[in-house]
Amino acid sequence: MTLSQSAFVDRFALDRLPPRAVWPDLIFDLPELAYPARLNAAKVLLDDRVAAGDGARRCLLDDRTAWSYAELQDRTDRIAQVLRSEGVVPGNRVLLRAPNNPMLVAQWSAVLKLGAIVVTTMPLLRPRELVQVITKGQISHAICDARLEADLRAAQTQAPVLRHILIANGDAADGLEARMAAAPGRFEAVDTAADDLALIAFTSGTTGEPKGCMHFHRDILAITDTFSRHVLQPSPDDLFCGSPPLAFTFGLGGLVIFPLRIGAASLLLENAGPEALMQAIGRHRATVCFTAPTAYRAMAAMKDRHDIGSLKKGVSAGEALPLATRTLVKDCFGIDLIDGIGSTEMLHIFISAAGDQIRPGATGKPVPGIRATILGEDGAELPPGQVGRLAVKGPIGCRYLEDPRQSLYVEGGWNVTGDSYLMDADGYFWFQARSDDMIISAGYNISGPEVEQAVLSHPAVAECAVVASPDQERTFVVKAFVVLKPGQSGDEGLAKAIQNHVKAEIAPYKYPRAVEFVTSLPRTETGKLQRFRLRQQELERAAKA
Ligand code: 3UK
């Protein structure tokens, strides 16, 4: 496969794609994945929609405004013109920084229409992390919400490649909105190749320097034409909502790309903690929700305070969905959560199940258009029933921006996600652990997340993390860090009760020999448990003792 004629003037990112030999295989197994050679994703999502007569349809909502598709197109075109007048050319990287709101979506589609490459950043990133992203991506332009300006300015002093910062949502005379007002008229989308780069998503990465995952214009459509179209199956009358930041591709897909692809609407929330999310669902009668397992758990605990009866579908991703959480959500809200495993490298969800295809406890089956298998240590495919390394391929795959870790994620054409899984005889995939969250204790292989599930099913437990803790006798023991529900007190009696509960739920040798009650657990900005931090803490404590 060769790259088609790129529309890029700035070839920095194109030239830093990994060598072809370490690309994953790309497969286009469905008729809907046969994209034309030239394609601009923002044009498809917006201009084509408006041209089809849907301009007046409801598109983006927040608590203050509701934009139609035509209004989003208008904002997009104005921003694209402002960016062009700032010197942005096709192939340049443009950094975006804002909480989830309609303007952030307009900025995102404007960068795409310009044929530039969009790099949306997590609002909580600190200057040090911003410097890494800006330097690695050689990012010259940024649009930044006034409320997040200070950290970006601090980063700029150490990353001088960032020369132009446009401030949005502020009151300066040269702010983005003032400049947009003076830039009326349509903006013709740049005629990008289907495989021109559209976005670089930096991984939330639980450790180490961020990796830039590079994705094409056609990839933006491919995630909807696989997971959304075949598993989620939303309708144009749906109202999407959820918590993940648009910088996290889980949120980008669920809150922007999926609704826009079918002419549906999306509710964007700057603050989307579990309670705010529930309130918003109730107020706007949202029908499809994207959030993490812990948020569903927290929402279930507040079921009496808010009415979310409008909700028809809930997608859970980012971490394994504990069976106890699935059951709780079914009991409280009457919906069968759609669990799905996705990754920044694959852009969105590649194994999932909905409706009567769900097998509780399993993640699901490969999404149509995706192939999945389990690899042994030697790289050979394992038969059903054996635990090994999850490997997938589809129309999208891992292409890190100039990163030696490319050859760790891609092996023999497969994307190897770093998760231990098993496939059963019916082709369902069962999550075991992140490959590095397997605990080896007294010679047994124990999955930390499996023990967490058992602990979580105890009625006093709100949250739990299970890691290996150094031990004289057994090398490591299974240790549970437990956050209790309000009103519970963490004493020896309760620790014992939790241990007995686990022994009754799963094989007794897996029970946590150590239990520590804590008030909170370390998490990434995308809500993932940082087990490595607890592991490290245990190693340090043991070294001191
Ligand atoms: C873990 C899961 C079990 C798994 C993501 C949906 O999470 C996303 O991307 P990241 O790059 O992390 C990828 C890793 O997260 N994981 C995600 N979902 C599940 N483990 N069950 C799940 N349902 O370790 C995976 O390798 O942050 C999720 C869509 C887009 C995404 N970027």
Side-chain angles (χ1 to χ4, degrees), residues 77 123 135 143 163 268 282 295 340 345 426 471 495:
D77 286 358
T135 308
I143 306 179
R163 286 181 303 274
L268 295 159
E345 288 83 353
D426 300 330
D471 178 78

Side-chain angles (χ1 to χ4, degrees), residues 390 409 416-420 433-436:
L390 177 65
Y409 203 91
V416 181
T417 65
D419 300 288
S420 300
R434 278 296 296 172
S435 300
D436 44 12

Side-chain angles (χ1 to χ4, degrees), residues 239-440:
L239 176 60
F240 289 63
C241 71
S243 65
L246 302 190
F248 182 27
T249 62
F250 179 41
L252 179 67
L255 302 175
V256 179
I257 303 171
F258 300 166
L260 263 53
R261 180 73 165 144
I262 53 162
S266 180
L267 170 62
L268 295 159
L269 304 167
E270 294 199 342
N271 162 20
E275 181 131 43
L277 183 56
M278 280 184 96
Q279 275 167 351
I281 294 172
R283 218 169 27 243
H284 296 274
R285 306 216 37 85
T287 54
V288 180
C289 178
F290 283 74
T291 191
T294 42
Y296 283 113
R297 218 179 143 75
M299 284 160 70
M302 297 182 288
K303 70 169 192 313
D304 297 331
R305 297 218 287 277
H306 308 281
D307 172 19
I308 62 164
S310 59
L311 204 62
K312 289 189 299 191
K313 293 174 184 177
V315 178
S316 170
E319 288 195 295
L321 172 66
L323 194 52
T325 304
R326 172 184 287 291
T327 312
L328 190 67
V329 168
K330 175 80 178 174
D331 292 347
C332 294
F333 306 129
I335 59 173
D336 290 305
L337 285 179
I338 301 174
D339 186 12
I341 178 171
S343 74
T344 311
E345 288 83 353
M346 298 299 293
L347 196 52
H348 218 273
I349 290 172
F350 46 82
I351 293 177
S352 183
D356 55 13
Q357 295 294 303
I358 294 171
R359 205 165 274 196
T363 312
K365 288 186 171 184
V367 164
I370 306 280
R371 289 182 217 161
T373 190
I374 306 294
L375 299 179
E377 282 317 311
D378 59 0
E381 292 185 42
L382 293 177
Q386 291 192 27
V387 176
R389 300 175 300 144
L390 177 65
V392 297
K393 57 176 80 162
I396 308 173
C398 175
R399 285 145 320 213
Y400 290 136
L401 170 69
E402 201 169 49
D403 201 308
R405 290 168 289 188
Q406 175 74 19
S407 51
L408 295 177
Y409 203 91
V410 176
E411 198 182 304
W414 292 99
N415 298 274
V416 181
T417 65
D419 300 288
S420 300
Y421 257 85
L422 78 71
M423 186 186 77
D424 68 19
D426 300 330
Y428 276 86
F429 283 76
W430 298 75
F431 175 79
Q432 309 295 308
R434 278 296 296 172
S435 300
D436 44 12
D437 288 330
M438 292 298 282
I439 302 166
I440 301 168

